[in-house]
Amino acid sequence: MVTVAFPVALFFCLLHNHNAVASQLAVPENLTMVTLNTNYTLRWDWEPSWSRDVSFTAEHVAAYKVTHQKKRVEWIVVCANTSRRSCDFSEANLLYWGAYLLRVRADANGTLSESKHLRFLPDKHADVGPPSRVALSHEGKDVDVHIDDPVASGNTSMKKFLPKLSYHILYWEGPSLAQSPDVQNLSSKANLVTLSNLAPWTWYCVMVQTRNKYYAKESSFTSPLCIQTEGVTVWWLIVLYLVGSMGICFLAVFFLYKMYRSIKGVLFPASQLPSHFKEYLCNSPGSDMPRLLTLGSESELLCDKVVVFPEPPSWLEADSSHHHDPQGSSSGGSSSSGGSSSSGGSSRDSGVYSSDSGCSLPQHSHQDTSKASQVFWSGLSNQDHLKMKGRAAGQQEGDEGISNVCI
């Protein structure tokens, strides 16, 4: 009976252990510590398909407690039941020269996974950061580089933890490191470094890197900073710049003045339209807005060709003398046909005919009229003389029997 019961009990025991192992959660994988100075962040990987409702617990303990003590070790919890895949150990008060053992385990509804461990030594594994600030200043041809130490999580200098911290400086001429043929370097533990033997009136750029030789730690370089050196002042160059600046200012003022005059002449002209023009060209007598004339307006454009000459030719005087009374020219009486007559002198002063009986024309001297007629008739071509003769002949034929003409 005992012989049969023992194999059965062994079978159930093995089955229970198999179910217990199968029910355990997967262990977090790929534990890494992301560090910079004294800022530490532990990260790990977890496959979501293993379990969706899962939380993680991250803990640490001093490494010597696990190695040398036989009693039960008390782990210090940093992150408890967190759903993130990281935990910040910066505030865990880890000594920079100490050695620690970190672990992470998963928890799904009370079911715990096995722990994953990571050994961490801050002074060996933690990366050092670049200088917190770099500034440049120049004194003549020399450039001073002001360097501030990297800062720890407690806003203290990293030289407190790394006394042999030094700085590696790269400097070159020109704005681009790739285009510079000569790149110089300098190492120093001081926070103020002077770059000497530089060319005057030249741009130099600087980058700084933090180094610690004990564990061969090197930070990234800072962003390039550039500054121009000084040299002996060239007075003629200063005068040239001053004169050039004054010339540019004068041209700018002159251009603005010309532009102002042009705009003022267009918007506010000096010559204004007369009042009798404004009466007909504007919308209303009190308005300055012009009125546009359109093709549909009621006004009509009437034109007639008029030829005005100061003194008629001799042949026209001879023809016109047949229409006047010789007695009326000396006595001023009326003509035989009842029309008005004028003096013989007035007939030589005007070349305008009128059919009105009471015509009165201004009198001019015969000498002035002769000079004006010579200038006028000298400007006429032969064709114009022929036209005038033709018009005079037509006038004589059409005016036969009409003696009431004022000359």
Side-chain angles (χ1 to χ4, degrees):
M1 184 69 180
V2 177
T3 306
V4 177
F6 178 76
V8 174
L10 181 62
F11 173 76
F12 280 104
C13 182
L14 292 175
L15 181 63
H16 175 74
N17 291 335
H18 180 268
N19 293 334
V21 172
S23 63
Q24 289 182 353
L25 293 176
V27 180
E29 299 291 341
N30 301 327
L31 270 67
T32 56
M33 182 67 79
V34 180
T35 61
L36 183 65
N37 297 332
T38 58
N39 298 307
Y40 317 124
T41 301
L42 179 64
R43 299 180 182 273
W44 60 88
D45 294 334
W46 173 263
E47 182 62 37
S49 61
W50 292 344
S51 178
R52 294 183 179 179
D53 298 331
V54 64
S55 60
F56 303 93
T57 300
E59 302 168 318
H60 75 88
V61 68
Y64 75 92
K65 293 183 179 181
V66 178
T67 305
H68 301 286
Q69 290 186 2
K70 297 181 179 180
K71 62 182 181 180
R72 185 172 179 271
V73 179
E74 294 183 0
W75 292 80
I76 300 175
V77 179
V78 179
C79 298
N81 299 325
T82 178
S83 59
R84 297 180 300 176
R85 307 296 190 270
S86 62
C87 180
D88 188 5
F89 278 75
S90 301
E91 304 298 330
N93 298 322
L94 302 182
L95 295 178
Y96 193 77
W97 302 277
Y100 296 91
L101 192 63
L102 313 179
R103 75 176 184 181
V104 180
R105 61 181 178 178
D107 183 1
N109 298 324
T111 304
L112 300 178
S113 69
E114 294 291 335
S115 299
K116 188 70 174 181
H117 296 81
L118 175 68
R119 185 177 178 84
F120 176 62
L121 285 73
D123 65 331
K124 182 179 181 180
H125 299 146
D127 296 331
V128 64
S132 58
R133 190 182 70 93
V134 177
L136 302 179
S137 63
H138 59 80
E139 185 67 27
K141 295 189 299 181
D142 298 337
V143 173
D144 294 333
V145 183
H146 305 266
I147 305 173
D148 290 349
D149 298 330
V151 178
S153 58
N155 202 22
T156 58
S157 173
M158 281 299 296
K159 283 188 175 180
K160 175 182 178 182
F161 307 103
L162 300 172
K164 295 183 178 181
L165 198 68
S166 62
Y167 301 104
H168 184 67
I169 302 172
L170 294 181
Y171 62 98
W172 63 93
E173 180 180 340
S176 176
L177 177 61
Q179 298 177 358
S180 179
D182 185 17
V183 179
Q184 303 183 36
N185 60 84
L186 177 65
S187 295
S188 176
K189 294 182 179 180
N191 294 95
L192 178 60
V193 181
T194 301
L195 307 179
S196 57
N197 300 324
L198 304 179
W201 307 109
T202 306
W203 282 93
Y204 285 91
C205 296
V206 178
M207 293 193 309
V208 183
Q209 179 190 48
T210 305
R211 288 184 176 183
N212 184 33
K213 291 183 178 181
Y214 188 75
Y215 282 111
K217 292 184 178 182
E218 294 182 355
S219 72
S220 59
F221 280 96
T222 60
S223 300
L225 295 177
C226 300
I227 192 173
Q228 186 182 22
T229 59
E230 293 181 349
V232 179
T233 304
V234 183
W235 293 106
W236 65 267
L237 190 60
I238 296 177
V239 173
L240 180 62
Y241 287 158
L242 180 61
V243 173
S245 301
M246 293 177 62
I248 293 175
C249 293
F250 174 77
L251 292 177
V253 172
F254 180 76
F255 174 75
L256 292 176
Y257 174 74
K258 285 294 186 181
M259 186 170 60
Y260 166 75
R261 291 291 301 271
S262 300
I263 296 176
K264 183 180 179 181
V266 173
L267 300 179
F268 307 100
S271 300
Q272 301 293 333
L273 289 174
S275 58
H276 59 280
F277 279 9
K278 292 183 178 181
E279 181 179 356
Y280 295 100
L281 295 180
C282 297
N283 295 327
S284 61
S287 174
D288 292 336
M289 299 298 295
R291 178 178 58 192
L292 299 178
L293 298 178
T294 60
L295 295 176
S297 61
E298 299 179 357
S299 60
E300 296 183 0
L301 183 63
L302 301 178
C303 302
D304 193 8
K305 186 175 181 180
V306 178
V307 179
V308 180
F309 49 89
E311 184 177 0
S314 58
W315 50 267
L316 187 58
E317 289 183 358
D319 293 338
S320 62
S321 63
H322 295 289
H323 298 280
H324 298 280
D325 187 5
Q327 299 295 331
S329 61
S330 59
S331 61
S334 61
S335 62
S336 58
S337 62
S340 300
S341 63
S342 60
S343 63
S346 64
S347 65
R348 298 176 60 87
D349 294 337
S350 175
V352 180
Y353 287 85
S354 175
S355 60
D356 296 337
S357 61
C359 170
S360 177
L361 299 175
Q363 303 296 324
H364 302 279
S365 63
H366 177 68
Q367 184 177 4
D368 296 337
T369 307
S370 299
K371 291 181 179 181
S373 64
Q374 293 176 3
V375 174
F376 176 79
W377 289 106
S378 62
L380 295 178
S381 62
N382 295 331
Q383 186 178 2
D384 295 331
H385 282 283
L386 293 176
K387 290 182 179 180
M388 293 298 297
K389 288 181 180 182
R391 292 176 182 175
Q395 184 69 24
Q396 290 178 2
E397 294 176 1
D399 291 343
E400 290 181 359
I402 301 175
S403 60
N404 187 13
V405 177
C406 178
I407 300 176

